[in-house]
Amino acid sequence: MKYYLLSVMQPVGELPAPEVLAEIGARLDVFHQELRQAGAWVFAGGLHGPESSTVVRPRSGDVLITDGPYAEGKEMLGGICLIKAPDLDAALAWGRKAALATTLPIEVRPFMGEAED
């Protein structure tokens, strides 16, 4: 079964200091390498902040295009890591490692459908 992990970050406040971000980046590199070595890696990547988003909404047979995030809240989607895991327990174990690497909450959710390997 495939699962995806969502890293959720706080959009308010200042970014951590460069040395803290460098440490998080190094831990993420180790985490991604561990995923690859275990054969669990599918894809991972970060997202720019919500201020860079554009929302396309259906409206009366056409679309309305607006700047800004779809939803406003205290947390935003910071990145996605799609993994292969045999079951929820295995996905949660990877989610735990991701949370410790990023220092951010991680949402673990099943991916609908099976992609070709």
Side-chain angles (χ1 to χ4, degrees):
M1 179 169 280
K2 301 225 172 159
Y3 285 84
Y4 66 87
L5 308 179
L6 302 178
S7 63
V8 181
M9 58 184 278
Q10 303 294 324
V12 294
E14 294 182 27
L15 287 175
E19 60 273 8
V20 174
L21 287 176
E23 184 179 319
I24 291 169
R27 287 195 306 263
L28 268 175
D29 289 343
V30 169
F31 171 66
H32 291 162
Q33 186 58 35
E34 191 176 347
L35 282 169
R36 285 182 179 95
Q37 289 172 346
W41 172 268
V42 176
F43 171 82
L47 299 171
H48 289 276
E51 69 282 352
S52 67
S53 68
T54 303
V55 181
V56 180
R57 291 182 175 88
R59 286 281 194 260
S60 304
D62 200 2
V63 295
L64 173 64
I65 298 174
T66 57
D67 292 335
Y70 171 73
E72 294 187 24
K74 294 181 181 180
E75 296 178 326
M76 67 169 194
L77 180 60
I80 185 169
C81 181
L82 182 63
I83 65 165
K84 291 186 274 187
D87 55 40
L88 180 59
D89 288 337
L92 290 173
W94 286 116
R96 180 183 188 283
K97 290 181 181 194
L100 292 172
T102 63
T103 71
L104 298 169
I106 302 295
E107 179 181 344
V108 178
R109 192 187 303 187
F111 187 79
M112 293 178 70
E114 291 292 322
E116 297 278 332
D117 288 328

